[in-house]
């Protein structure tokens, strides 16, 4: 088992190297050994086939109590959040249909929080009287009826996803890895390591615009609402930042802010009105890899696995106030060089993907965590996590065989629904999702290929390009509390060349003092 873990670590580092913006000759040599290491790992897995291959799977026995508690816990929904974008066919319709189309419920978004007051205002906001009765004076019969109803709804939802059909369309034009994607109406905007940003017209699967101007790979994109772009017309604004920008997010509160993260761990806020720097904070030890907003809250995640939660106070100076910071030791996402944390907030929870066979769920007010298995083998890695309504989507890539999949879970219970894949599917590094006016799903995935997913009518005669399957080993998985799991944090040091990697890490620490600058280019049409 020790050799399996060593090979897994080496393959994970190789996969991380392959998506870097630039490579040294030494790193290219490491990548050239991938096929050899993968073949050896497959041989060992065959020899060790049995319980060892399903590490991280939770049985039905002692986890059942935890599972029930999670399934019936009301979501903490702060009351000051603006309503999410309308996503067709709400929950009521899905209840009325015996086999509903896989539609999404509105996203829950966050509200204000007070720093240092973790025990106050932590409880769930208003919940229905029925839910309150469940914890109080409801009879056992009523509780059992509610459980049966929830189980029937989940069974119906699961059946609908088992029948789902998608047509895949390849968007050809980038000459290197696609690192980021966003969707705007019928347009998809993609950024690539080839230094370009492209705009695609989804209905015709054609390139709409080609935007240049960057001298390095494009690592992040954000799409402001149209009303924020109208006054700018066709002009192009550029903002110089001392360190390379590795993540960004647009926050629409007040006049609007651009929140950026750098490769040195710095978080900065920029005024949308004047494009001047409003705030600069050394927030993380390594590169900021993900920034997401939820109402007045901003969430930042970094390569070392740490996460911070900020409140946007809509001030002209220092608009961001730090509410909580949790290190990689708390989130359980630390332990490797070249990490790439992806996050997706939902109420008081944040879903985290960090190149492991599981997704972490951080309750950001308290720092408690749970774990959701996303692959039945220890060689699976999750690169990105996304939500759309009542659906949680986690990407998974198997280091041992190169198979790429998307796993679907229901929210808020986080119960496994189905797995989607297709022949020769590439590793999925970024993901965006939206729904059409008729309620069908449209997704776009990026990595080696840029692919649009368009949902087809389940009753139609068109054949699906996607294979829908179920992993029976994931069926028995539930959320695990950290008390119930072994400490599985690993370092991803490539043991043959540990010294050289350590030297690279030292150079990263010096980035703040003498790092190369970057132009944050805002191209607004």
């Amino acid at each position: 088992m020790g050799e399996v873990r060593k090979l897994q670590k080496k393959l994970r580092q190789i996969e991380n190297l392959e998506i870097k913006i630039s490579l040294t000759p030494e790193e290219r040599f490491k990548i050239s050994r991938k096929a050899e290491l993968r073949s050896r790992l497959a041989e060992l897995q065959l020899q060790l086939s049995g319980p060892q291959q399903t590490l991280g799977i939770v049985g039905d026995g002692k986890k059942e109590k935890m599972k029930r508690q999670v399934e019936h816990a009301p979501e903490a929904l702060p009351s000051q959040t603006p309503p999410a974008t309308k996503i067709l066919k709400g929950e009521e319709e899905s209840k009325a249909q015996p086999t509903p189309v896989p539609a999404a419920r509105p996203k829950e978004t966050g509200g204000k929080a007070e720093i240092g007051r973790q025990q106050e205002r932590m409880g769930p906001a208003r919940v229905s009287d029925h839910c309150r009765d469940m914890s109080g004076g409801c009879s056992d019969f009523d509780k059992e009826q509610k459980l049966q109803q929830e189980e029937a709804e989940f069974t119906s939802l699961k059946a609908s996803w088992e029948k789902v059909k998608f047509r895949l369309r390849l968007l050809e034009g980038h000459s290197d890895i696609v690192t980021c994607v966003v969707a705007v109406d019928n347009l998809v905007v993609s950024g690539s390591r080839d230094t370009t940003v492209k705009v695609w017209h989804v209905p015709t699967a054609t390139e709409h615009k080609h935007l240049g101007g960057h001298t390095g790979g494009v690592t992040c994109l954000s799409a402001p609402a149209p009303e924020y772009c109208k006054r700018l017309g066709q002009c192009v604004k550029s903002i110089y930042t001392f360190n390379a920008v590795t993540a960004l997010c647009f926050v629409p509160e007040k006049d609007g802010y651009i929140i950026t993260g750098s490769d040195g761990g710095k978080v900065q806020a920029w005024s949308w009105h004047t494009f001047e720097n409003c705030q600069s904070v050394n927030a993380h030890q390594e590169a900021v890899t993900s920034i997401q907003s939820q109402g007045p809250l901003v969430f930042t995640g970094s390569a070392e696995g740490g996460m911070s939660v900020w409140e946007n106070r809509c001030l002209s100076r220092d608009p961001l106030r730090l509410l909580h910071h949790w290190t990689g030791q708390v989130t359980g996402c630390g332990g490797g060089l070249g990490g790439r944390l992806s996050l997706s907030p939902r109420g008081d929870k944040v879903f985290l993907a960090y190149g492991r066979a599981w997704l972490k769920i951080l309750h950001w007010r308290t720092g408690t965590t749970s774990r959701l298995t996303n692959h039945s083998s220890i060689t699976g890695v999750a690169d990105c996590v996304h939500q759309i309504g009542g659906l949680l989507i986690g990407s998974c890539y198997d280091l041992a065989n190169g198979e790429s999949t998307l796993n679907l879970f229901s929210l808020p219970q986080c119960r496994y629904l189905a797995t989607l894949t297709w022949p020769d599917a590439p590793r999925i590094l970024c993901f965006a999702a939206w729904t059409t006016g008729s309620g069908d799903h449209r997704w776009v995935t990026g990595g080696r290929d840029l692919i649009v997913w368009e949902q087809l009518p389940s009753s139609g005669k068109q054949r699906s390009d996607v294979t829908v399957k179920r992993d029976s080993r994931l069926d028995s998985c539930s959320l695990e509390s950290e008390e119930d799991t072994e400490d599985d944090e690993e370092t991803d040091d490539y043991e043959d060349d540990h010294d050289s990697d350590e030297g690279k890490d030292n150079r990263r620490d010096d980035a703040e003092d003498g790092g190369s600058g970057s132009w944050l280019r805002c191209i607004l049409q």
Side-chain angles (χ1 to χ4, degrees):
M1 198 62 192
E3 188 175 355
V4 169
R5 288 190 177 275
K6 288 180 181 179
L7 289 171
Q8 179 193 2
K9 291 177 186 179
K10 292 180 180 181
L11 282 169
R12 183 180 290 128
Q13 192 202 39
I14 286 173
E15 296 289 349
N16 288 336
L17 289 176
E18 285 190 319
I19 60 177
K20 282 183 62 177
I21 296 299
S22 59
L23 295 172
T24 66
E26 182 183 12
E27 290 170 337
R28 293 183 186 279
F29 172 73
K30 292 178 182 178
I31 291 173
S32 69
R33 296 191 59 203
K34 182 170 74 170
E36 171 193 342
L37 296 175
R38 182 177 284 176
S39 175
R40 176 58 182 158
L41 180 59
E43 291 176 5
L44 288 175
Q45 281 191 309
L46 187 61
Q47 296 171 11
L48 297 171
S49 58
Q52 293 91 339
Q53 279 195 308
T54 56
L55 285 180
I57 294 291
V58 186
D60 290 329
K62 67 175 184 178
K63 299 298 185 291
E64 185 62 26
K65 182 178 179 181
M66 169 68 66
K67 182 177 180 181
R68 289 291 179 89
Q69 287 174 346
V70 171
E71 288 177 6
H72 305 129
E75 286 285 287
L77 302 179
S79 58
Q80 299 184 10
T81 335
T85 311
K86 182 179 179 183
I87 318 185
L88 58 74
K89 309 202 182 234
E91 186 178 0
E92 293 79 9
E93 288 189 28
S94 68
K95 291 181 181 179
Q97 300 282 346
T99 54
V101 173
R105 290 176 293 185
K107 289 185 181 177
E108 295 131 351
T109 50
K112 291 187 177 180
E114 303 230 6
I115 187 168
R117 299 172 64 96
Q118 297 180 8
Q119 300 302 321
E120 298 182 14
R121 300 162 74 178
M122 278 172 41
R126 294 188 299 267
V127 295
S128 68
D129 292 336
H130 182 71
C131 288
R132 266 198 298 270
D133 289 344
M134 283 293 296
S135 60
C138 247
S139 68
D140 290 341
F141 176 76
D142 290 335
K143 292 179 182 178
E144 186 62 29
Q145 272 196 324
K146 188 173 190 312
L147 288 175
Q148 291 177 357
Q149 181 183 355
E150 290 179 349
E151 188 62 31
E153 291 171 0
F154 173 75
T155 300
S156 177
L157 181 62
K158 181 173 65 172
S160 67
W161 277 106
E162 289 174 350
K163 299 176 183 177
V164 75
K165 296 179 180 180
F166 278 97
R167 178 178 60 178
L168 303 183
R169 288 187 290 177
L170 180 65
L171 302 181
E172 297 184 90
H174 283 297
S175 60
D176 209 330
I177 288 175
V178 175
T179 57
C180 46
V181 290
V182 293
V184 184
D185 296 326
N186 282 327
L187 300 177
V188 164
V189 186
S190 59
S192 170
R193 197 165 61 177
D194 65 11
T195 76
T196 68
V197 173
K198 292 181 182 289
V199 182
W200 310 84
H201 185 242
V202 174
T204 59
T206 57
E207 185 177 322
H208 188 62
K209 286 184 181 293
H210 174 97
L211 307 175
H214 290 280
T215 57
V218 180
T219 59
C220 46
L221 292 168
S222 185
E227 56 267 26
Y228 287 90
C229 303
K230 288 179 180 177
R231 69 176 182 84
L232 295 170
Q234 297 294 321
C235 70
V236 174
K237 299 287 184 182
S238 294
I239 304 171
Y240 182 78
T241 62
F242 184 76
N243 286 98
V245 173
T246 51
L248 64 79
C249 177
F250 177 77
V251 180
E253 313 304 309
K254 198 180 177 183
D255 292 331
Y257 299 87
I258 303 170
I259 311 299
T260 65
S262 78
D263 63 357
K266 184 178 289 186
V267 172
Q268 295 179 285
W270 309 81
S271 167
W272 180 261
H273 182 67
T274 64
F275 291 97
E276 294 180 353
N277 182 233
C278 304
Q279 188 173 5
S280 183
V281 183
N282 291 320
H284 297 280
Q285 296 177 1
E286 294 187 30
V288 179
T289 58
S290 184
I291 304 179
Q292 298 289 331
S293 66
Q294 178 180 260
L297 299 179
V298 176
F299 300 81
T300 61
S302 64
E304 80 271 11
M307 198 202 78
S308 295
V309 185
W310 312 77
E311 178 191 10
N312 177 17
R313 299 175 295 176
C314 299
L315 303 176
S316 57
R317 300 300 306 174
D318 297 332
L320 298 180
R321 179 168 67 121
L322 181 64
L323 299 180
H324 297 281
H325 174 76
W326 303 110
T327 66
Q329 291 180 330
V330 175
T331 65
C333 294
L337 298 177
R340 188 172 176 270
L341 179 69
S342 171
L343 61 86
S344 179
R346 180 186 180 91
D348 285 355
K349 303 173 184 175
V350 183
F351 295 90
L352 307 173
Y354 191 75
R356 297 293 188 270
W358 33 255
L359 302 172
K360 274 292 175 73
I361 304 172
L362 172 68
H363 298 256
W364 59 264
R365 293 183 187 272
T366 62
T368 58
T369 59
S370 51
R371 192 173 78 170
L372 180 64
T373 302
N374 192 45
H375 199 276
S376 55
S377 168
I378 60 173
T379 57
V381 294
D383 287 302
C384 57
V385 59
H386 190 86
Q387 297 174 64
I388 178 168
L391 188 66
L392 176 69
I393 306 170
S395 73
C396 196
Y397 179 77
D398 196 316
L399 296 171
N401 57 30
E403 181 182 3
S404 184
T405 60
L406 289 176
N407 290 326
L408 312 182
F409 303 86
S410 66
L411 290 173
Q413 297 89 352
C414 297
R415 295 181 65 182
Y416 172 67
L417 292 169
T419 296
L420 308 183
T421 189
W422 70 101
D424 301 318
R427 185 177 182 181
I428 296 172
L429 302 177
C430 50
F431 186 98
W434 70 108
T435 50
T436 65
S438 59
D440 294 327
H441 284 268
R442 271 185 180 167
W443 302 342
V444 58
T445 56
R448 291 290 179 188
D449 294 327
L450 181 63
I451 297 173
V452 171
W453 303 50
E454 187 166 3
Q455 186 179 353
L456 301 172
S458 57
S459 59
K461 295 183 179 180
Q462 288 181 280
R463 295 185 61 182
S464 176
D465 296 328
V466 169
T467 301
V468 182
K469 61 181 183 179
R470 292 186 55 76
D471 188 337
S472 59
R473 294 168 294 184
L474 291 181
D475 276 326
S476 60
C477 293
S478 63
L479 290 176
E480 305 174 64
S481 70
E482 291 303 283
E483 298 174 356
D484 297 324
T485 61
E486 298 179 359
D487 183 9
D488 56 357
E489 292 183 10
E490 301 173 350
T491 60
D492 288 338
D493 299 336
Y494 195 99
E495 296 178 359
D496 297 356
D497 304 288
H498 177 72
D499 292 336
S500 62
D501 288 334
E502 189 173 28
K504 292 171 195 170
D505 193 47
N506 293 335
R507 289 195 294 273
R508 181 190 294 273
D509 294 337
D510 297 332
E512 201 68 348
D513 297 327
S516 59
S518 170
W519 286 93
L520 167 63
R521 182 168 291 258
C522 304
I523 306 176
L524 305 131
Q525 302 295 333

